[in-house]
Amino acid sequence: MKIRKRELAKAGIFGSIDNPVVVKESELEEIAETFPEIKKAPVKLGGHWTENRPRLANVISVTYDKKTKTLLGEVEEQDELSAAVDAGYYPDVSIGAKQRASDGKMYLHHLAYLGDEPPQIKDLESQIAENLSEAEKNIAAADNSDSEDVRSYPSTAEKQLYLSDTENQKENNNGGLSMTEEEIKAMQAENERLKAENESKEKMLSDSMAAARERDKEALRKAAEGKVTQPQMDGLMALCDSFQDGKTIELSDSDGKKKTENPISVLTGIFESLKPKVEPGTLNLSDSEPKEVEPLNFNVI
């Protein structure tokens, strides 16, 4: 067994502007404060578990550094895991914490080792588990099972969000929070407002384009009447529906000048230039000019 010191979590704002994750100093201080009561917290490989797993290592002590606003821990590792970490695997960690029922304070639920598995070891976890006792293999206590109220904290290696990305701003913050919770909430509210506004504008634009498409289709229908059969007309309308809204094509006029038109308007122009198969109007079987009929003369003998 080997004891290793690691950074477990850091106060700050992580993630993206749209979905920031705030890690409070008070939460990390509570985790350090409550750890002596739980004495040990299990370690697993990769992410956060969803089932009972063997104890590959244990967090055996936790402290909080107010100057760097960092939660630090000592981890007692199995030899195989320790060798893998020494070789550069599992460079990052992330903690899971819960609120205890007695006073609502946060406590360390588990520690996850993050990174690649050594390629020469097909399944490091299984190999370690073979050498563990039954008690070490089984961490089935209810407190260590998966639960929706376990909060996963970001790795200390993740980039923090700052109001300014300049180095001076980062130094002035001294590793602490650069945005307050109120600022985060205001930013999220503004993002939600802008999102709703954009969705409303997109709907209005979509409705407007749909109305314009129907007008263009009606103009095309009139231009094609008498020149195509009904099945062909249906196919023509279906073709129009396949055109992307706002899509235009570039054409050259007789003078070689470029112009853009939407595809339905181009089709309308083509059909307007075609003659109908049957001239419209009533059917007239007589000559265009009626001829005068001369009277017949009969001679009576």
Side-chain angles (χ1 to χ4, degrees):
M1 304 286 280
K2 179 178 179 180
I3 296 177
R4 185 185 308 276
K5 291 185 178 181
R6 303 199 72 159
E7 285 190 350
L8 306 184
K10 192 177 184 70
I13 305 171
F14 303 83
S16 66
I17 293 295
D18 292 332
N19 187 30
V21 177
V22 179
V23 179
K24 302 177 185 177
E25 292 181 58
S26 59
E27 294 175 336
L28 300 185
E29 288 176 329
E30 287 178 359
I31 291 171
E33 178 190 338
T34 57
F35 189 80
E37 296 178 40
I38 63 173
K39 297 182 176 59
K40 280 186 178 182
V43 174
K44 76 161 295 253
L45 304 182
H48 296 272
W49 65 60
T50 56
E51 59 185 24
N52 297 325
R53 309 293 284 271
R55 286 185 182 272
L56 307 178
N58 288 294
V59 181
I60 58 174
S61 75
V62 173
T63 57
Y64 180 69
D65 187 329
K66 289 189 176 182
K67 184 177 180 181
T68 61
K69 297 178 173 58
T70 304
L71 189 70
L72 305 170
E74 289 188 333
V75 186
E76 187 180 51
E77 300 171 340
Q78 297 288 342
D79 292 339
E80 295 88 341
L81 177 58
S82 181
V85 176
D86 288 340
Y89 300 97
Y90 309 112
D92 299 328
V93 299
S94 176
I95 67 170
K98 290 178 68 174
Q99 283 184 296
R100 63 187 185 185
S102 59
D103 55 11
K105 289 186 176 181
M106 303 295 291
Y107 68 92
L108 185 63
H109 179 267
H110 67 271
L111 175 67
Y113 273 28
L114 309 176
D116 296 329
E117 186 171 79
Q120 69 272 22
I121 303 175
K122 209 166 191 180
D123 191 340
L124 179 62
E125 186 172 323
S126 296
Q127 182 170 319
I128 294 175
E130 289 177 3
N131 300 322
L132 300 180
S133 67
E134 288 303 315
E136 289 174 319
K137 289 180 183 179
N138 183 23
I139 56 170
D143 189 47
N144 288 326
S145 61
D146 180 54
S147 175
E148 291 182 0
D149 59 353
V150 175
R151 179 183 174 187
S152 298
Y153 287 70
S155 163
T156 57
E158 288 191 30
K159 184 179 179 181
Q160 294 193 44
L161 297 177
Y162 292 88
L163 290 173
S164 168
D165 273 338
T166 64
E167 290 301 317
N168 289 336
Q169 176 71 29
K170 292 181 181 179
E171 291 172 3
N172 291 340
N173 287 326
N174 195 28
L177 292 176
S178 58
M179 297 174 70
T180 65
E181 284 188 78
E182 290 73 19
E183 288 172 326
I184 284 289
K185 290 178 180 178
M187 178 179 63
Q188 289 175 318
E190 179 64 10
N191 286 339
E192 288 299 318
R193 186 190 68 79
L194 292 173
K195 180 181 177 182
E197 184 178 299
N198 288 335
E199 288 176 351
S200 177
K201 288 180 179 178
E202 287 175 2
K203 186 178 185 307
M204 290 176 62
L205 178 61
S206 177
D207 292 344
S208 176
M209 297 183 79
R213 177 194 288 270
E214 289 304 314
R215 290 194 297 269
D216 290 341
K217 285 173 62 178
E218 185 58 29
L220 175 59
R221 189 189 303 276
K222 290 180 179 179
E225 280 180 353
K227 301 169 186 176
V228 296
T229 64
Q230 187 56 48
Q232 289 173 330
M233 181 70 80
D234 294 341
L236 193 59
M237 295 299 105
L239 176 63
C240 292
D241 290 334
S242 71
F243 295 146
Q244 182 180 351
D245 284 333
K247 179 72 175 178
T248 60
I249 56 178
E250 189 176 85
L251 302 172
S252 298
D253 58 19
S254 56
D255 297 329
K257 294 181 180 179
K258 300 291 185 181
K259 61 177 182 178
T260 58
E261 290 191 51
N262 74 65
I264 301 179
S265 295
V266 173
L267 286 173
T268 301
I270 292 172
F271 278 98
E272 285 177 341
S273 68
L274 299 177
K275 292 183 178 181
K277 293 182 178 180
V278 179
E279 290 291 342
T282 58
L283 186 63
N284 188 358
L285 297 178
S286 65
D287 294 334
S288 57
E289 293 293 336
K291 295 180 180 180
E292 185 177 346
V293 179
E294 296 181 1
L296 295 177
N297 296 321
F298 293 94
N299 294 324
V300 179
I301 302 176

